[in-house]
């Protein structure tokens, strides 16, 4: 995965991936790439996917997870800072 815009600074301040991990086959690889691209990362996903996605964040240093709700629907927000970025 080699995602970059031609004039994109390396690394950017924040990489956001909302509601997209459901469509990814190699989640650890994508999370590593997000961490390479940004000084901080924010990921959101539907609470119904938490059992599948939460384990991918368990060993990621500095990860914080916070559920949030809108009406009857709950999502998870996960964020972390990348010390080496």
């Amino acid at each position: 995965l080699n995602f970059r815009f031609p004039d994109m600074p390396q690394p950017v301040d924040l990489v956001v991936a909302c509601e997209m991990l459901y469509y990814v086959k190699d989640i650890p690889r994508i999370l590593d790439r997000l961490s390479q691209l940004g000084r901080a990362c924010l990921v959101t996903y539907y609470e119904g996917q938490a059992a599948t996605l939460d384990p991918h964040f368990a060993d990621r240093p500095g990860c914080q997870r916070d559920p949030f709700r809108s009406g009857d629907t709950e999502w998870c927000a996960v964020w972390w800072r990348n010390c080496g970025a």
Side-chain angles (χ1 to χ4, degrees):
L1 183 66
N2 190 14
F3 174 81
R4 278 189 54 78
F5 291 109
D7 297 329
M8 188 170 135
Q10 185 74 12
V12 297
D13 291 331
L14 177 65
V15 176
V16 178
C18 296
E19 308 304 313
M20 56 78 67
L21 291 180
Y22 324 119
Y23 309 104
V24 173
K25 291 182 182 177
D26 192 347
I27 294 170
R29 182 175 174 218
I30 292 298
L31 295 178
D32 287 345
R33 185 62 180 139
L34 295 176
S35 292
Q36 292 169 358
L37 290 171
R39 291 182 183 91
C41 296
L42 169 69
V43 173
T44 65
Y45 49 91
Y46 174 65
E47 179 65 31
Q49 294 292 315
T52 300
L53 297 174
D54 281 352
H56 293 284
F57 300 102
D59 295 332
R60 191 162 293 277
C63 249
Q64 296 182 25
R65 181 188 184 277
D66 197 17
F68 63 97
R69 178 177 290 280
S70 176
D72 293 336
T73 306
E74 188 167 312
W75 287 271
C76 299
V78 180
W79 63 94
W80 65 95
R81 292 187 183 275
N82 301 301
C83 297

